[in-house]
């Protein structure tokens, strides 16, 4: 189980937005992602600048607020 990292409202909404954008097939390059989400391994980017949730990010979302 992933350590439950404390997220503020903005960070939580970012994770939700990335999950929703991926589910809808929408681009994610315009979603602003904090360095904290990246440094904790919850979000990554591909070489084109599109952001996505990592396995850890998906697990953190499943833990709930």
């Amino acid at each position: 189980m992933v350590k439950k990292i404390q997220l503020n409202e903005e960070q939580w909404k970012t994770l939700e937005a990335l999950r929703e954008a991926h589910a809808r097939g929408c681009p994610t390059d315009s979603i602003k992602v904090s360095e904290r989400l990246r440094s904790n391994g919850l979000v990554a980017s591909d070489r084109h600048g599109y952001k996505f949730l990592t396995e850890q990010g998906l697990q953190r979302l499943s833990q709930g607020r």
Side-chain angles (χ1 to χ4, degrees):
M1 181 162 191
V2 174
K3 178 182 172 190
K4 189 169 180 178
I5 298 164
Q6 190 73 22
L7 300 174
N8 66 30
E9 190 68 24
E10 182 180 344
Q11 293 163 340
W12 182 256
K13 286 182 178 182
T14 299
L15 293 183
E16 289 179 322
L18 286 169
R19 178 177 59 187
E20 187 172 323
H22 176 72
R24 293 180 176 203
C26 298
T28 58
D29 54 330
S30 64
I31 297 175
K32 186 177 184 327
V33 174
S34 71
E35 185 55 37
R36 184 163 185 260
L37 293 176
R38 291 178 192 275
S39 65
N40 280 294
L42 302 178
V43 176
S45 300
D46 68 13
R47 64 182 179 194
H48 302 292
Y50 294 106
K51 294 140 188 122
F52 57 92
L53 292 172
T54 62
E55 283 289 321
Q56 287 181 306
L58 289 169
Q59 288 178 0
R60 179 59 188 90
L61 270 174
S62 72
Q63 292 173 342
R65 196 72 187 103

